[in-house]
Amino acid sequence: MTEITFTKNKDINTQKWDNCIEQAANRKIYALSWYLDIVAENWDALIFGDYEFVMPIPNNKKFGIPYIIQPPYCQQLGIFPKATEEIQEEFMKQVTKRFKYIHYFFNAAYDLLPNSAFTLLNRTNLVLPLIQDYISIANEFTKHTKRNLKVAKTAKVEVVKGLRADEYMKIKKENLKTKASDKALQKLYLLINNTITSGRGTIYGAYSDVNNLCSAAFILFDGNRVYYLNAFSTDEGRENRAMYAIVDSIIKEFAGSGRILDFEGSMVEGVARFYKGFGALQEKYFYIKWNKLPIIKSFMK
């Protein structure tokens, strides 16, 4: 079998790397080199042959022990393109040979890894194919979603595109409902700023009838996917159902394009219900856990 090499970040040929990802049927924006450079503290790679198959390895060290952990804003990684079970097994042998602690999310192209030694946990993504025209898609919205869109319309919510990264982050920080580290928020700002500048992303904002920014969503574009990557609502936005108006606007804009609106799923029932209300379908992927640390190190973790 062709050799799989562990390649340090500085030695990766990013042009060959990105070509491999972009041509893969299981392409994901999260695995592109520029994206990983923003969200990962450090990332190296396993490379099969001349970039025929690649696997990003976001890693770090603690107490001198190297470990793998999924970066923020990075839902799915794994091997690109989809590999045979034999090749998958060789990749995972290389991973477990070098790392004793792994928390890693594979992409949806893989149903099950050959190496059953891992703990495998199912995760659910939610995606909406935008093949049909808007009216056909909207006919499949649930009654709950249609009702909330009427609330937003009655409240005179207006959706616009093109908010600035600093404007988005300011209101988001003021309305955080769950704790987020300064480091994670800084990565989000860099990601938004970079992708808006390069034309890979944009922000949809919803304004109330008194011109308050009450909801916003950061959207990324790559290949045939539109990624709903991050969002927030103020109390006013939740009351006037502004996020329903934003998602409806995105669907209206891209309906009939053949793209896929990738909601990134959610394990939170209420959030998942919100996405499903627009007709989103389930897309399964899985989370692998591997802990072979010595007992004392495992305890210190």
Side-chain angles (χ1 to χ4, degrees):
M1 177 178 286
T2 303
E3 185 180 0
I4 295 173
T5 58
F6 183 81
T7 307
K8 299 297 289 183
N9 186 282
K10 64 183 178 63
D11 298 319
I12 295 170
N13 182 321
T14 55
Q15 184 175 353
K16 287 187 176 183
W17 176 277
D18 288 337
N19 283 342
C20 178
I21 301 298
E22 288 167 355
Q23 292 171 18
N26 58 335
R27 170 181 181 156
K28 289 286 185 289
I29 194 171
Y30 318 109
L32 291 167
S33 62
W34 64 266
Y35 194 97
L36 287 165
D37 286 344
I38 295 172
V39 301
E41 292 293 310
N42 176 65
W43 69 279
D44 300 313
L46 287 171
I47 299 172
F48 180 100
D50 188 22
Y51 292 80
E52 294 163 60
F53 297 94
V54 300
M55 180 179 180
I57 307 291
N59 65 90
N60 217 322
K61 281 187 177 181
K62 193 168 187 178
F63 306 117
I65 297 176
Y67 63 91
I68 295 176
I69 195 159
Q70 197 84 357
Y73 317 113
C74 194
Q75 188 198 58
Q76 299 177 37
L77 292 176
I79 304 167
F80 300 89
K82 187 174 181 180
T84 64
E85 285 199 1
E86 184 182 11
I87 293 175
Q88 291 176 53
E89 190 165 8
E90 289 303 313
F91 267 95
M92 300 321 294
K93 281 179 182 177
Q94 293 291 327
V95 171
T96 53
K97 185 167 72 175
R98 289 174 169 82
F99 300 94
K100 299 301 181 187
Y101 183 80
I102 302 168
H103 278 215
Y104 193 80
F105 292 81
F106 257 74
N107 62 75
Y110 294 91
D111 300 321
L112 186 68
L113 286 177
N115 191 332
S116 59
F118 293 108
T119 299
L120 300 176
L121 302 173
N122 286 321
R123 290 291 183 267
T124 302
N125 192 18
L126 288 161
V127 297
L128 177 64
L130 299 172
I131 299 168
Q132 297 177 296
D133 60 77
Y134 172 74
I135 292 175
S136 299
I137 295 172
N139 282 339
E140 300 302 316
F141 292 174
T142 63
K143 290 180 181 179
H144 176 82
T145 295
K146 290 175 180 177
R147 185 165 59 249
N148 281 299
L149 283 171
K150 286 181 181 178
V151 172
K153 185 176 181 180
T154 301
K156 299 180 180 179
V157 171
E158 182 180 357
V159 178
V160 299
K161 280 175 65 176
L163 273 68
R164 301 189 315 272
D166 56 348
E167 185 179 10
Y168 179 91
M169 293 304 298
K170 179 180 181 295
I171 308 298
K172 181 177 178 66
K173 288 177 182 178
E174 291 171 356
N175 290 274
L176 285 173
K177 295 299 181 183
T178 56
K179 188 177 179 181
S181 70
D182 290 340
K183 186 179 288 187
L185 290 171
Q186 177 63 14
K187 287 183 185 300
L188 178 59
Y189 171 76
L190 291 172
L191 187 58
I192 294 174
N193 202 44
N194 176 290
T195 53
I196 288 177
T197 302
S198 65
R200 297 184 180 104
T202 192
I203 299 172
Y204 291 75
Y207 288 84
S208 67
D209 60 349
V210 291
N211 206 34
N212 290 330
L213 177 62
C214 55
S215 289
F218 167 49
I219 307 299
L220 280 176
F221 311 101
D222 181 68
N224 73 333
R225 292 211 172 206
V226 178
Y227 293 85
Y228 179 90
L229 198 99
N230 195 262
F232 72 79
S233 285
T234 66
D235 289 340
E236 183 180 26
R238 280 183 283 277
E239 184 176 344
N240 63 23
R241 308 301 194 270
M243 195 56 71
Y244 283 88
I246 288 177
V247 174
D248 185 60
S249 293
I250 295 168
I251 293 171
K252 195 171 290 183
E253 180 174 350
F254 293 100
S257 68
R259 291 189 173 191
I260 294 171
L261 177 54
D262 190 330
F263 286 109
E264 289 204 317
S266 180
M267 300 304 289
V268 180
E269 186 178 348
V271 178
R273 181 190 181 198
F274 171 70
Y275 300 149
K276 289 177 181 177
F278 291 96
L281 309 172
Q282 290 189 344
E283 180 185 74
K284 297 290 184 181
Y285 65 103
F286 61 86
Y287 165 36
I288 66 171
K289 294 172 71 175
W290 170 261
N291 185 355
K292 293 299 177 182
L293 294 172
I295 293 175
I296 184 65
K297 298 291 186 184
S298 187
F299 175 75
M300 290 173 73
K301 170 183 72 68

